[in-house]
Amino acid sequence: MQRYRGVNFYEVSPHIYAVGDNSYRSMRTERKDQCILISGESGAGKTEASKKILQYYAVTCPASEQVQTVKDRLLQSNPVLEAFGNAKTLRNDNSSRFGKYMDIQFDFKGAPVGGHIINYLLEKSRVVHQNHGERNFHIFYQLIEGGEEDLLRGLGLERNPQQYQYLVKGNCPKVSSINDRTDWKTVRKALTVIGFDEDEVEELLNIIASVLHLGNVQYGGEDGVACITSDTQIKYLARLMSPLNLEQASSARDALSKAVYGRTFTWLVNKINASLTYTDDSCKHYSVIGLLDIYGFEVFQHNSFEQFCINYCNEKLQQLFIELTLKSEQEEYEAEGITWEPVQYFNNKIICDLVEEKFKGIISILDEECLRPGDASDLTFLEKLEDTVGGHPHFVTHKLADTKTRKVMSREEFRLLHYAGEVNYNVNGFLDKNNDLLFRNLKEVMCMSENKILNQCFNREELSDKKRPETAATQFKASLAKLMEILMSKEPSYVRCMKPNDSKQAGRFDEVLIRHQVKYLGLMENLRVRRAGFAYRRRYELFLQRYKSLCPDTWANWQGKAFDGVATLVKHLGYKPEEYKLGRSKIFIRFPKTLFATEEGLETRKHGLATKLQAGWRGYRQKSKYQKLRSSAVAVQAWWRGILARRRARRRRQAADTIRRFVKGFIHRHRERCPENEYFLDYVRYSFLMNLRRNLPKNVLDKSWPTPPAALSEASELLRKLCMQNMVWSYCKKINSEWKHQMEQKMVASELFKDKKDNYPQSVSKLFVNTRLNGEDINPKVVQALGSEKMKYAVPVTKYDRKGYKARPRQLLLTANSAVIVEEAKLKQRIEYATLRGVSVSSLSDGLFVLHVPGGDNKQKGDVVLQSDHVIETLTKIAICSDKINNININQGSITFTSGQGKEGTIDFTPGSELLVAKAKNGHLSVTAPRLNSR
């Protein structure tokens, strides 16, 4: 399939796929409906050829989920129609006993989206009678062989076709080439795919089983009146059929069986059509490819009304083939002024007229005999044929034949010399089959059936119609005429199926049989016309419209006559004189290769044109988009500029009003509040409050506050106090007990030393610690000596002797009651807080201080001179522990202290560049300390 897909018809070897692909591409490129006519003798392979074409389209056409469903239904319609409409004949094990024309509908993408089937003349007589070696329709055998046991039990059937009268007349219940059990599974699956629900399948099978049961109705006769002898049949049949004689009762039974089966088959085709209907309302236009698979020419030992209709159909198709190929093509060459030597051929129109001519044809005579009053019979019909068309060269009867012919003809037969050969038709049953009537009471019974399918097949409107229905032959003739109209409206392609042998054997080629088919099909004449003629012809307008893009002079629009445009075009393409001819209204191209080269050039050109069109369209679209955006942007900008301008004007007016009111208020600012100054006063107040909001103090130490206007002095002071209280309250909420203790110590230090001692500011940012000595720094003996006294603070200090002022390292320990001076493991001096007279310290940045003790205390040796690196912290701790905050003295210049035995010493403090502690020449202790802050 891939080999033939999209390839030019003559580039590959002949194949059924090539025909299908060529029709498909013609439909897509030329936008014209196509049809493929498949013809040939019975058993030549027409049905198989149509299935191959369907399979090709199913595989190669574009697909979607919806399209795949349609594809599946198109393919699965074949096994269903074959089961109900095909049967084994002497010439073919799968012979179509009905005609089928299928339209495949394609959307604009080339995907199959729907279909429609028209059926022609089902051979209903096969339901009740088969020739020896033939079978009834496949569905009966498939149901019996493949049906499940429960299904057969429910239908009242046995798994033995020999039990049913309608299946034994051909004496051929089984065929080696047919597997009824497998085919049954295929049919059941196909019914599901097509869309039959379980109820419909059940009712359909009920009808098939009822036909078999109806065939088993047996009759006996008494006094010329028939009666039912079989016990298993329904009672009302006896009442309905008892007034008939034996022959009439059997005919009525068979007529009912044929009517039920025939109408059910029509319902089945309509059901399939409903499932294939193209339901997309968004696209009502679609292209069509028609497939004609109709019964082939048949010649049996006994030929009846069905063979007459089938062969008449083949005559019409042959006539159509001649009209569209041999006759019309040669007439076209002559009409177009193309030099042409006519090819002789046999025109079978004379045979078609013999059958269908109004008032004189065989069908008209047959209808006349069926409708005329009196005793009309098959023999009177034959006699009338002899009287009316007896002189026709293609008509012979026993009475009109020569002696030699009479030996092989029965008196009840007439012979037609068809295009495909001679066929003898036995007239017995012609009138009954043509009338195709069913007793009214049988129709009434069918209308009362609970089976929905039968109700649809037999409707009551039919009973109320008083007009006599058309005969079968007339209906078939009319349907063939409509079929010819359908085929004539489409571009045809042909598939001629050749039967290689009559014995249904593979690999056997019967040359005599093939030669006969080639001859009567007129293939040699057609070949001569094709070889001498032209492979392609088109009207100038269509040819120019399709290929004008290949020539700069004709692209994009040719302004002159179409003939001149085509002449210019083929000259540009380089056509040689022997490759084409210009007629009066058409161009004729002789060789396919010339057309292929032109098509290839068109395909190449299409890509360039498509690119150019895409570029043009994209440019136009972008330009349109830009212009639209630009106009929108201009509109938005204009609108926005208007808004901005109005805003600016409004702001200017407001600003002018504000300035005017502000100036007027400033002039009257000292007056009481009045309309002239209220805006100014409010603005001043507002400005102050906004400034205050932006510049509030950050913490409790920040004393900054904006200067208020006179009118807000009192309010400003209240706000300042509230702000400070709030900050203090917020700050206090955040501190813990440890921090509170730290702050208390810092407050004492501030009270003692702020603005009094130089190194105080440096101590503010440093936290006071609980002790400056760890547990390992204090000798355990000292701790033992202290006993139960809890140590509150410890700090390393330097002690200066009272005599000589020699510096000695010591530790100062503060307890709850006393200050203890420790030398390593000894308690050198204990000063009770109660006896502590005061503490002196200089105002400089040194760390010396003097603990004053009472002079008359024998336990004390005099005042103690100490130096600490953390003098602010140490003195604050001493003041708190001794509760002598007011006894901390800050001296300037010098400090006098007692050194024991009533003697006094002096410490002189002088500012300097660095800290020096030494004994001066005057005997004083001289301390030089740098000034860190100016007070």
Side-chain angles (χ1 to χ4, degrees):
M1 291 184 183
Q2 293 302 326
R3 178 188 174 195
Y4 285 89
R5 182 181 185 181
V7 180
N8 284 315
F9 188 68
Y10 294 99
E11 289 185 9
V12 287
S13 56
H15 200 281
I16 189 72
Y17 295 155
V19 177
D21 187 75
N22 188 58
S23 296
Y24 178 75
R25 288 192 297 113
S26 297
M27 176 198 70
R28 295 293 311 281
T29 57
E30 299 180 13
R31 294 296 176 187
K32 186 173 182 181
D33 291 347
Q34 306 287 314
C35 66
I36 301 175
L37 293 99
I38 305 173
S39 60
E41 288 189 9
S42 178
K46 299 182 295 302
T47 300
E48 293 302 315
S50 68
K51 288 195 286 188
K52 290 293 182 185
I53 292 175
L54 276 177
Q55 291 169 0
Y56 179 78
Y57 290 150
V59 171
T60 60
C61 292
S64 64
E65 185 175 347
Q66 179 183 359
V67 169
Q68 189 60 47
T69 301
V70 174
K71 286 182 178 181
D72 293 340
R73 290 179 175 177
L74 283 170
L75 292 176
Q76 294 302 321
S77 65
N78 278 317
V80 174
L81 292 176
E82 286 182 16
F84 285 85
N86 287 24
K88 178 194 180 304
T89 66
L90 294 173
R91 291 177 172 269
N92 183 4
D93 289 349
N94 188 32
S95 177
S96 296
R97 307 320 298 164
F98 72 105
K100 178 179 70 175
Y101 174 77
M102 174 186 285
D103 269 338
I104 310 170
Q105 300 162 349
F106 297 85
D107 63 9
F108 71 97
K109 299 177 184 177
V113 293
H116 185 78
I117 298 171
I118 303 175
N119 62 300
Y120 299 96
L121 190 67
L122 178 69
E123 188 187 28
K124 295 183 290 186
S125 63
R126 183 167 294 273
V127 175
V128 299
H129 176 77
Q130 308 92 42
N131 292 329
H132 184 76
E134 296 186 348
R135 295 207 313 176
N136 208 324
F137 292 104
H138 294 323
I139 187 62
F140 294 110
Y141 305 95
Q142 293 171 359
L143 174 59
I144 290 176
E145 290 292 331
E148 299 79 4
E149 293 294 338
D150 292 342
L151 175 62
L152 295 181
R153 190 180 304 110
L155 297 175
L157 299 178
E158 299 180 23
R159 201 180 295 281
N160 182 6
Q162 300 290 345
Q163 298 293 326
Y164 304 99
Q165 293 299 314
Y166 284 165
L167 304 184
V168 298
K169 295 184 179 180
N171 196 23
C172 185
K174 292 187 179 296
V175 182
S176 60
S177 62
I178 298 175
N179 189 328
D180 293 314
R181 190 182 299 273
T182 302
D183 292 344
W184 167 255
K185 295 179 181 178
T186 303
V187 171
R188 284 305 305 268
K189 179 183 176 182
L191 289 171
T192 303
V193 172
I194 292 172
F196 283 75
D197 57 40
E198 290 298 321
D199 291 340
E200 289 174 330
V201 173
E202 181 182 352
E203 291 182 348
L204 185 61
L205 297 180
N206 286 343
I207 294 173
I208 300 303
S210 68
V211 172
L212 293 178
H213 287 306
L214 195 56
N216 278 3
V217 174
Q218 301 297 317
Y219 299 102
E222 294 181 4
D223 300 328
V225 178
C227 61
I228 297 175
T229 60
S230 50
D231 296 331
T232 59
Q233 311 307 319
I234 53 179
K235 294 181 179 181
Y236 73 83
L237 283 176
R239 177 175 60 82
L240 292 173
M241 296 183 178
S242 60
L244 305 176
N245 60 36
L246 191 61
E247 182 180 354
Q248 290 172 331
S250 298
S251 297
R253 175 199 62 195
D254 293 344
L256 179 60
S257 298
K258 291 189 291 183
V260 167
Y261 191 86
R263 298 191 185 204
T264 301
F265 184 79
T266 301
W267 175 89
L268 182 67
V269 173
N270 292 334
K271 175 68 178 177
I272 294 174
N273 284 336
S275 73
L276 297 176
T277 301
Y278 185 36
T279 57
D280 188 0
D281 295 333
S282 62
C283 181
K284 296 183 179 179
H285 300 287
Y286 48 80
S287 301
V288 166
I289 294 180
L291 278 180
L292 180 63
D293 170 24
I294 207 160
Y295 15 58
F297 192 83
E298 290 186 347
V299 184
F300 296 134
Q301 186 175 358
H302 301 286
N303 302 291
S304 186
F305 177 76
E306 291 80 14
Q307 281 67 46
F308 170 76
C309 292
I310 288 171
N311 293 339
Y312 163 53
C313 175
N314 279 269
E315 289 284 357
K316 292 293 289 182
L317 290 176
Q318 178 67 8
Q319 185 186 14
L320 178 69
F321 177 74
I322 292 171
E323 285 288 335
L324 295 178
T325 57
L326 299 172
K327 185 173 182 292
S328 62
E329 187 164 347
Q330 295 191 81
E331 289 176 352
E332 184 179 37
Y333 293 150
E334 294 178 3
E336 290 291 326
I338 304 297
T339 304
W340 178 257
E341 182 177 346
V343 175
Q344 299 300 320
Y345 60 90
F346 171 70
N347 191 338
N348 73 328
K349 186 176 184 301
I350 187 174
I351 304 175
C352 294
D353 290 343
L354 171 62
V355 176
E356 67 183 9
E357 189 176 5
K358 204 169 185 181
F359 306 123
K360 296 181 181 180
I362 295 175
I363 291 178
S364 295
I365 297 171
L366 179 60
D367 287 350
E368 186 179 339
E369 281 298 297
C370 290
L371 300 175
R372 76 175 178 86
D375 293 332
S377 65
D378 297 323
L379 291 179
T380 60
F381 163 61
L382 182 59
E383 291 172 359
K384 192 156 188 178
L385 283 179
E386 292 171 341
D387 294 339
T388 308
V389 297
H392 198 284
H394 291 269
F395 179 81
V396 179
T397 64
H398 185 276
K399 178 180 178 180
L400 301 175
D402 56 26
T403 305
K404 183 179 180 181
T405 304
R406 288 179 180 178
K407 293 180 179 179
V408 294
M409 282 189 70
S410 166
R411 294 182 182 276
E412 298 172 344
E413 291 181 340
F414 67 90
R415 174 181 292 179
L416 292 182
L417 280 62
H418 289 285
Y419 77 97
E422 301 174 350
V423 182
N424 293 343
Y425 297 101
N426 193 306
V427 297
N428 287 331
F430 258 63
L431 267 62
D432 287 341
K433 292 177 181 178
N434 188 42
N435 280 321
D436 195 23
L437 297 176
L438 187 64
F439 287 125
R440 181 181 179 87
N441 49 10
L442 292 180
K443 290 183 181 179
E444 291 175 348
V445 171
M446 291 298 103
C447 290
M448 292 187 293
S449 171
E450 294 182 359
N451 189 294
K452 295 180 181 178
I453 297 177
L454 284 179
N455 268 329
Q456 296 176 34
C457 295
F458 295 88
N459 56 66
R460 294 192 175 275
E461 294 179 2
E462 185 179 352
L463 296 175
S464 60
D465 190 359
K466 301 299 183 181
K467 292 176 61 178
R468 180 184 175 92
E470 288 185 333
T471 61
T474 299
Q475 292 179 28
F476 186 61
K477 174 183 172 182
S479 62
L480 278 184
K482 291 181 181 178
L483 175 62
M484 296 303 119
E485 290 179 8
I486 292 172
L487 299 178
M488 290 289 286
S489 68
K490 295 176 171 56
E491 192 71 23
S493 298
Y494 302 96
V495 176
R496 291 293 201 180
C497 295
M498 310 299 291
K499 191 172 185 178
N501 60 77
D502 276 330
S503 53
K504 296 181 283 189
Q505 293 181 3
R508 180 184 170 192
F509 192 85
D510 188 337
E511 184 175 344
V512 175
L513 180 61
I514 293 295
R515 189 184 299 273
H516 174 66
Q517 293 175 77
V518 169
K519 182 178 180 181
Y520 75 68
L521 289 173
L523 296 185
M524 295 305 296
E525 293 84 351
N526 186 260
L527 183 59
R528 292 191 194 101
V529 172
R530 287 290 178 182
R531 282 184 171 176
F534 297 84
Y536 176 87
R537 80 271 339 255
R538 276 295 180 273
R539 294 188 63 83
Y540 290 138
E541 294 80 7
L542 297 177
F543 185 84
L544 186 61
Q545 178 65 29
R546 181 166 180 78
Y547 299 110
K548 64 181 180 180
S549 61
L550 299 178
C551 175
D553 295 332
T554 57
W555 178 257
N557 291 296
W558 176 258
Q559 301 298 332
K561 295 181 179 179
F563 174 87
D564 298 332
V566 172
T568 303
L569 177 58
V570 297
K571 182 179 179 181
H572 177 78
L573 294 175
Y575 282 13
K576 296 178 181 179
E578 65 273 13
E579 293 180 334
Y580 75 100
K581 293 290 183 184
L582 296 179
R584 294 187 176 92
S585 62
K586 296 181 180 180
I587 180 175
F588 294 83
I589 298 176
R590 187 180 301 277
F591 305 119
K593 64 179 182 180
T594 306
L595 181 63
F596 295 161
T598 306
E599 281 290 330
E600 289 174 359
L602 178 62
E603 288 299 319
T604 304
R605 177 66 172 154
K606 279 180 180 178
H607 292 293
L609 290 175
T611 302
K612 189 174 182 180
L613 288 172
Q614 288 172 348
W617 168 248
R618 289 185 184 126
Y620 168 78
R621 186 174 61 180
Q622 291 300 323
K623 183 178 180 181
S624 301
K625 183 179 179 181
Y626 166 75
Q627 290 176 343
K628 187 175 181 180
L629 290 174
R630 186 175 181 276
S631 61
S632 300
V634 170
V636 171
Q637 288 171 351
W639 173 78
W640 180 244
R641 288 193 188 104
I643 289 179
L644 292 180
R646 287 188 289 274
R647 286 180 181 175
R648 284 196 296 270
R650 185 167 59 250
R651 284 200 298 270
R652 288 193 187 103
R653 286 194 299 270
Q654 292 173 349
D657 292 341
T658 301
I659 293 172
R660 190 180 298 112
R661 293 167 66 188
F662 196 85
V663 170
K664 188 181 292 186
F666 180 78
I667 295 173
H668 298 90
R669 65 186 182 279
H670 297 301
R671 293 172 54 183
E672 291 293 327
R673 184 178 181 86
C674 62
E676 286 78 13
N677 66 5
E678 62 179 359
Y679 177 78
F680 178 81
L681 296 178
D682 290 343
Y683 177 78
V684 170
R685 293 170 179 174
Y686 173 80
S687 298
F688 169 72
L689 293 175
M690 290 299 101
N691 183 43
L692 179 62
R693 178 176 179 271
R694 290 189 296 269
N695 298 286
L696 283 172
K698 301 296 187 292
N699 53 60
V700 293
L701 299 179
D702 186 1
K703 303 300 181 181
S704 62
W705 191 262
T707 303
L712 290 179
S713 298
E714 184 179 356
S716 174
E717 184 62 24
L718 291 174
L719 288 173
R720 188 187 67 78
K721 291 180 179 179
L722 285 174
C723 179
M724 185 58 65
Q725 290 175 3
N726 183 60
M727 286 191 297
V728 170
W729 180 76
S730 298
Y731 183 81
C732 292
K733 273 187 69 176
K734 294 177 183 178
I735 64 176
N736 52 29
S737 59
E738 293 182 359
W739 187 249
K740 182 178 179 182
H741 180 62
Q742 183 75 217
M743 291 297 100
E744 289 173 348
Q745 295 180 73
K746 286 290 184 179
M747 288 295 294
V748 171
S750 174
E751 184 179 348
L752 292 174
F753 302 110
K754 185 178 180 182
D755 298 329
K756 298 177 182 179
K757 188 168 177 60
D758 281 357
N759 58 348
Y760 170 73
Q762 283 71 34
S763 71
V764 172
S765 60
K766 298 176 182 178
L767 297 177
F768 291 169
V769 298
N770 293 328
T771 180
R772 292 288 176 178
L773 295 174
N774 296 325
E776 59 268 18
D777 295 332
I778 302 174
N779 195 291
K781 291 182 179 180
V782 173
V783 176
Q784 185 177 5
L786 291 175
S788 61
E789 288 188 81
K790 185 177 180 181
M791 187 168 54
K792 292 186 175 182
Y793 180 73
V795 62
V797 295
T798 301
K799 178 179 178 297
Y800 291 93
D801 290 344
R802 298 173 186 84
K803 296 180 179 181
Y805 301 115
K806 185 176 181 180
R808 301 180 186 276
R810 294 286 187 271
Q811 293 176 343
L812 176 64
L813 308 181
L814 302 180
T815 66
N817 300 315
S818 61
V820 181
I821 298 173
V822 177
E823 180 186 3
E824 296 181 354
K826 297 179 181 179
L827 299 181
K828 295 292 292 181
Q829 187 174 355
R830 180 189 292 269
I831 302 173
E832 300 290 338
Y833 295 143
T835 62
L836 181 66
R837 291 190 299 115
V839 180
S840 297
V841 63
S842 76
S843 62
L844 299 181
S845 61
D846 60 277
L848 269 76
F849 63 92
V850 177
L851 300 179
H852 299 282
V853 296
D857 191 350
N858 295 326
K859 295 181 179 180
Q860 307 295 340
K861 300 176 181 180
D863 295 341
V864 182
V865 180
L866 301 174
Q867 182 185 14
S868 173
D869 293 337
H870 309 282
V871 65
I872 302 296
E873 178 184 280
T874 302
L875 293 180
T876 300
K877 296 280 188 179
I878 291 172
I880 293 173
C881 291
S882 64
D883 195 18
K884 302 278 185 176
I885 296 175
N886 296 326
N887 293 357
I888 303 298
N889 302 310
I890 300 174
N891 302 287
Q892 296 183 1
S894 64
I895 298 175
T896 302
F897 63 92
T898 60
S899 58
Q901 293 86 29
K903 295 181 179 180
E904 293 183 347
T906 303
I907 305 173
D908 296 325
F909 296 93
T910 58
S913 58
E914 57 182 350
L915 178 66
L916 292 174
V917 179
K919 184 178 180 180
K921 291 180 179 182
N922 57 5
H924 296 178
L925 180 63
S926 176
V927 178
T928 303
R931 293 294 298 268
L932 301 179
N933 296 284
S934 60
R935 296 188 298 278

